[in-house]
Amino acid sequence: MYTTKQNNTAAGNIKLFGNIRVLIIAALLIAMSAILGKFIAFGPMPFARISIENLPVILAGIWFGPFVGGAVGLGADLFGCVLKGYAPNPILTIGFVSIGIVAGLVSTCMHKANKPLVIILSDAAAHIIGSLIIKTIGLYAMYCADYSLSVLLAWRIPIYIITIIFESAIIILLMRNKAFTGQLDKVCNYGKQRRSS
């Protein structure tokens, strides 16, 4: 994880749920993901949309750990379904949740490593497991009468290679801004600061 050393444990990650500032940011990330995925996405096929809807979920995982990342993924998928007026696909929902969890786990386990490398690996692992494996299985279950699994993967692999590069660049630029990361540390340490004062 990118922020403070205190949050690099499971207990530290769970405690972030009680931090009102983290909850507000998580809610904003849920709304961003739903809007990006449902209204600012395009693609030649229904299973091959070009979108950065997973970026807010990955940010939540990297910033606040796997628990908050998974919760943001769950909230984003359910809120997006409500916005569009259709029932959630449980496999796609699991894919969204796993994107936040995997991004959080990778960034937490590698918190002392090269920061750009941590971001790239977190983003890539989250998309490989959540988008290319789990969500592709969910989409195949929906479209198996029309498209084979190889067709789905032939479309989705190049899209997610480009998405990983683009998202990683955005996150790296964001995390290089010292003012931004300073504010992020304040958000994560807010509950600890209040208890000590």
Side-chain angles (χ1 to χ4, degrees):
M1 181 180 355
Y2 240 92
T3 55
T4 60
K5 290 180 183 176
Q6 77 165 35
N7 296 324
N8 285 326
T9 64
N13 288 322
I14 292 172
K15 284 180 184 176
L16 287 175
F17 274 113
N19 183 328
I20 191 71
R21 292 182 181 185
V22 171
L23 292 175
I24 291 168
I25 293 171
L28 291 171
L29 292 171
I30 288 170
M32 282 175 55
S33 178
I35 299 296
L36 289 170
K38 305 308 180 206
F39 300 108
I40 309 174
F42 59 94
M45 302 283 193
F47 57 81
R49 290 182 306 122
I50 298 169
S51 169
I52 56 169
E53 68 183 328
N54 297 315
L55 177 61
V57 178
I58 291 169
L59 287 172
I62 291 172
W63 291 345
F64 306 125
F67 299 108
V68 175
V72 168
L74 176 65
D77 184 52
L78 297 179
F79 184 54
C81 290
V82 168
L83 285 176
K84 282 300 212 176
Y86 53 77
N89 177 329
I91 301 172
L92 296 179
T93 302
I94 291 168
F96 265 102
V97 171
S98 69
I99 287 169
I101 290 173
V102 170
L105 286 174
V106 172
S107 63
T108 298
C109 292
M110 297 183 65
H111 70 278
K112 291 183 180 177
N114 180 317
K115 291 181 179 182
L117 179 63
V118 171
I119 289 171
I120 294 166
L121 291 177
S122 297
D123 198 309
H127 279 302
I128 289 168
I129 293 170
S131 299
L132 288 176
I133 295 174
I134 298 173
K135 285 186 179 181
T136 301
I137 291 168
L139 291 169
Y140 178 69
M142 290 171 59
Y143 298 110
C144 64
D146 301 322
Y147 304 102
S148 68
L149 189 58
S150 60
V151 170
L152 267 67
L153 286 172
W155 279 95
R156 290 173 64 78
I157 289 173
I159 287 172
Y160 280 102
I161 289 172
I162 295 166
T163 302
I164 290 166
I165 293 168
F166 183 71
E167 286 180 352
S168 296
I170 290 173
I171 299 170
I172 289 169
L173 289 172
L174 196 58
M175 298 309 292
R176 282 190 176 160
N177 184 320
K178 292 187 189 229
F180 179 82
T181 54
Q183 291 301 315
L184 191 59
D185 281 337
K186 285 181 184 176
V187 166
C188 291
N189 288 322
Y190 176 68
K192 185 179 178 184
Q193 290 168 355
R194 290 193 62 180
R195 284 190 294 275
S196 63
S197 58

